[in-house]
């Protein structure tokens, strides 16, 4: 079957594109080479994503460049936000020709002058042929989002690469952060389940949001606690430790704001302790043959969780191990050497200045 180049691309090559941006740029270039007077193109999708309601890619014919636009809606994922960036952008380039592509996507083009009937038919065929490859690309993107949502970016990338078996793992270096709410057991026993969930979500929003903002990754939510790492590699140990310190400062500022809001509603504050350490750990698949967990284990993980347990006895909201204090540029004050449960050697412990 002889097909126009754009349709041949959609049948034979489109599913192999690295992402929707390359799909749109390549398809636009094929149409342009076929003689269509295109000024630009736009692809808009409703992704499966916890916070993004609309994802748009905008292509300019004169430069071949693609830019991305994200829409966030109070209505949540699965609904178009009121302002459609793709349609508005196309209208600024020329005459708009737009069509749905499946149930959750729209593909549009802007032309510099009106199209002939044969050209309009081609664009309609393009929309029809694009349904299948876009569904494949969307499914691939959804898979990546789901894995990142539940595993984090670093672990999700390994799973997507086919790491689906138990294995020795690899040694990684990282700054570690462990934080835990205080008094949460009492709160959960005296509050309605919906209030407990809302409280946990608010707490995790602030601590995990701060971790991600400074290049860290959450490894585990452990009850009302959180274990996160700031990998050492692209940045050195001092930079990773300083990033962890900035994340702690941001999390504490966010929790102060939350506590003020809770106080205005007659709710108690949410105190928490944080411990920081740095070291080598084993990172990889652990579990049974058919139920795996991508996680980190090793003495540094044990130490940082035990160190957080000293926050309340020492009256300190943040504690640093001696190894961490030696790497970070932030000032600290020595609090002596302390024995930690399950750790053979006493740990040098540092706090933060008032």
């Amino acid at each position: 079957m002889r097909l126009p180049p754009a349709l041949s691309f959609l049948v034979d090559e489109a599913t192999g594109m690295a992402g929707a941006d390359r799909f749109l740029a390549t398809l636009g270039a094929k149409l342009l080479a076929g003689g269509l007077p295109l000024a630009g193109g736009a692809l808009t999708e409703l992704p499966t994503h916890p916070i993004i309601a609309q994802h748009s890619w905008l292509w300019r014919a004169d430069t071949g460049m693609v830019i991305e636009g994200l829409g966030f809606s109070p209505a949540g994922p699965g609904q178009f936000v009121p302002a459609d960036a793709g349609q508005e952008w196309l209208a600024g380039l020329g005459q708009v020709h737009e069509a749905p592509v499946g149930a959750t996507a729209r593909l549009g083009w802007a032309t510099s002058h009106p199209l002939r009937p044969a050209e309009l038919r081609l664009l309609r065929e393009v929309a029809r042929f694009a349904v299948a490859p876009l569904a494949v690309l969307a499914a691939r993107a959804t898979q990546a989002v789901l894995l990142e949502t539940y595993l984090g970016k670093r672990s999700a990338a390994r799973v997507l690469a086919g790491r689906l078996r138990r294995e020795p793992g690899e040694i990684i270096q990282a700054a570690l952060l462990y934080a835990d709410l205080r008094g949460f057991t009492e709160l959960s026993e005296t509050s309605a389940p919906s209030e407990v969930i809302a409280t946990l979500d608010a707490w995790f929003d602030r601590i995990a949001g701060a971790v991600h903002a400074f290049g860290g990754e959450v490894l585990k939510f452990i009850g009302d606690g959180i274990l996160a790492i700031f990998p050492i590699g692209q940045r050195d140990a001092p930079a990773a430790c300083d990033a962890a310190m900035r994340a702690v400062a941001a999390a504490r500022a966010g929790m102060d704001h939350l506590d003020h809001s809770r106080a205005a509603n007659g709710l108690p504050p949410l105190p928490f302790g944080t411990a920081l350490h740095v070291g080598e750990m084993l990172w990889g698949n652990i579990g049974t043959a058919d139920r795996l967990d991508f996680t980190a284990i090793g003495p540094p993980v044990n130490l940082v969780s035990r160190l957080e347990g000293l926050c309340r006895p020492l009256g300190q909201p943040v504690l640093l191990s001696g190894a961490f204090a030696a790497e970070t540029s932030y000032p600290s004050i020595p609090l002596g050497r302390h024995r930690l449960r399950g750790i053979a050697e006493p740990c040098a412990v540092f706090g933060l200045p008032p």
Side-chain angles (χ1 to χ4, degrees):
M1 181 185 298
R2 294 182 61 84
L3 294 173
L7 300 186
S8 293
F9 162 73
L10 292 171
V11 171
D12 299 326
E13 304 173 48
T15 56
M17 293 288 100
D21 54 343
R22 297 311 312 150
F23 170 90
L24 179 63
T26 305
L27 178 57
K30 296 283 186 183
L31 290 169
L32 196 64
L36 265 70
L38 297 184
L43 173 61
T44 303
E45 292 184 340
L46 304 179
T48 300
H49 196 280
I51 59 174
I52 298 172
Q54 178 179 288
H55 201 165
S56 298
W57 294 268
L58 313 174
W59 168 76
R60 286 192 69 98
D62 55 354
T63 64
M65 299 294 293
V66 177
I67 60 174
E68 292 187 51
L70 301 178
F72 303 89
S73 171
Q79 300 188 33
F80 278 112
V81 294
D84 186 343
Q87 191 174 47
E88 293 180 0
W89 188 78
L90 288 174
L93 293 179
Q95 186 175 347
V96 178
H97 308 271
E98 198 172 31
V101 183
T104 60
R106 291 205 298 265
L107 184 61
W109 307 98
T111 59
S112 55
H113 56 74
L115 298 181
R116 298 188 299 272
E119 294 170 328
L120 289 170
R121 285 196 299 272
L122 176 59
L123 287 187
R124 286 195 292 270
E125 288 296 288
V126 163
R128 186 167 70 90
F129 276 59
V131 171
L134 281 179
V136 172
L137 295 179
R140 196 180 300 155
T142 296
Q143 183 184 49
V145 167
L146 290 173
L147 286 173
E148 287 180 10
T149 299
Y150 285 95
L151 299 178
K153 287 187 177 181
R154 186 184 178 100
S155 299
R158 296 304 180 95
V159 174
L160 284 170
R163 303 281 286 274
L164 299 176
R165 295 178 181 274
R166 286 184 294 191
E167 57 189 2
E170 64 179 287
I171 300 296
I172 65 170
Q173 284 190 314
L176 296 94
L177 180 154
Y178 186 85
D180 191 64
L181 278 179
R182 297 175 186 166
F184 184 75
T185 300
E186 294 84 349
L187 178 67
S188 61
E189 291 179 349
T190 58
S191 305
S194 58
E195 183 181 334
V196 173
I197 296 290
T199 299
L200 275 179
D201 285 344
W203 149 243
F204 286 138
D205 272 345
R206 280 140 185 93
I207 183 71
V211 166
H212 293 152
F214 291 98
E217 180 173 341
V218 172
L219 286 186
K220 290 288 182 186
F221 294 113
I222 309 167
D224 59 331
I226 184 171
L227 174 65
I229 61 171
F230 294 78
I232 296 168
Q234 292 185 343
R235 55 185 171 187
D236 59 17
C241 291
D242 283 354
M245 289 293 292
R246 288 193 290 271
V248 170
R252 299 201 68 81
M255 289 301 288
D256 283 344
H257 186 271
L258 177 63
D259 283 344
H260 280 96
S261 299
R262 288 176 60 83
N265 291 304
L267 298 173
L270 297 173
F272 66 101
T274 306
L276 296 160
H277 183 43
V278 63
E280 289 186 344
M281 67 213 76
L282 185 67
W283 182 70
N285 275 326
I286 299 167
T288 67
D290 59 353
R291 177 63 176 87
L292 298 172
D293 189 12
F294 222 100
T295 190
I297 60 171
V301 178
N302 300 334
L303 189 147
V304 75
S305 62
R306 301 291 189 264
L307 181 60
E308 191 280 326
L310 286 181
C311 286
R312 179 179 287 180
L314 295 180
Q316 297 288 327
V318 182
L319 293 177
L320 321 177
S321 71
F324 187 97
E327 294 287 1
T328 182
S329 64
Y330 283 71
S332 60
I333 52 175
L335 300 175
R337 297 180 69 83
H338 295 264
R339 286 201 170 275
L340 304 176
R341 181 169 57 88
I343 306 297
E345 295 295 326
C347 176
V349 179
F350 290 75
L352 299 181

